[in-house]
Each structure stands twice: as structure tokens, then as C-alpha cells.
Amino acid sequence: MTSSRAQRYLDDMVAKRGYVLDYHKVMAANDFPVLQAADNLVEAAYLSQRLLDRRTKELLFVLSLTVLRADKAHIQSHIRVALGLGVEPQEILEAIEIALPEAGVVAFQHGFDAWREVVGAEALEPSRPA
């Protein structure tokens, strides 16, 4: 296996997904066959066109990663892809809010913070001192 083959594969991942994570980069350099195997599962469940459209899959990814309290950068990568697909910031927020009844406020806040940073959400300040 040559590093140029792994590099081409990584570049193709970016083209298909719209992002790669740090672990993808490290695995491409250190254990390319396992990266390929893991990516094949992602290809079948996420990237291949089946009944769910890509917008819906991105919202589900944002929600599931929020519930799992995944790395903020991972959540944000899917938020960015969703926005690129035309998903409105409010739609993404509503998906994250679904975490509240099942996963609780802490999980919600984790996803919310990722969303807030990506979309630059405005905030109101109290008109009276706390």
C-alpha cells in the first residue's frame, strides 16, 4: 500500500462527505485497511442513496452525535454539511432539541453549543442586572 493511494482515498472521502475527521487522517496514514473497512459501513448506511435523503440523514447524525455527546468538531462537521445542503439553522436546532426528553439538558447543551458556534446564533441579554 502506498501513501499516495491512502491520500487519494482520503481526498475522495472529503469529496463524498464534505468533511473528514482527524481520526480519518491518522488512520489513512497508519492503518489504511481498517479505515477502508469502517468507511465501507459509512458508505452503505450514510452516503448511499436509499430511502432517506441526505438532508434527513444529516439531521439524524446531528441528533445522534448530540445524544452521544460526541466531539464538538464532529457534530459541527455534520451541521456544516446540513447547512450546505440547504437545511435551515432552525431545522437543525429543532433536531438537537429532540435530545431534551430522551438524553437530557446536558446532552442538549453540548449539541446546542456546537450549533450556536457554527451558525453564529444571536443572543438576548437581560435588561436588568442579575
Side-chain angles (χ1 to χ4, degrees), residues 54-66:
R54 184 78 187 267
R55 290 170 44 97
T56 302
K57 288 178 184 180
E58 289 305 329
L59 290 171
L60 290 169
F61 248 112
V62 170
L63 173 59
S64 63
L65 292 171
T66 293

Side-chain angles (χ1 to χ4, degrees), residues 47-110:
L47 297 172
S48 295
Q49 182 57 52
R50 297 170 63 199
L51 295 178
L52 294 177
D53 64 24
R54 184 78 187 267
R55 290 170 44 97
T56 302
K57 288 178 184 180
E58 289 305 329
L59 290 171
L60 290 169
F61 248 112
V62 170
L63 173 59
S64 63
L65 292 171
T66 293
V67 168
L68 292 169
R69 290 183 227 158
D71 184 68
K72 189 187 289 185
H74 195 173
I75 298 169
Q76 289 175 330
S77 68
H78 285 280
I79 291 170
R80 286 186 193 97
V81 171
L83 291 168
L85 293 169
V87 178
E88 295 294 327
Q90 186 67 29
E91 292 176 283
I92 298 167
L93 177 57
E94 288 182 22
I96 293 168
E97 290 168 345
I98 293 171
L100 278 164
E102 299 303 325
V105 173
V106 173
F108 163 76
Q109 287 175 331
H110 184 69

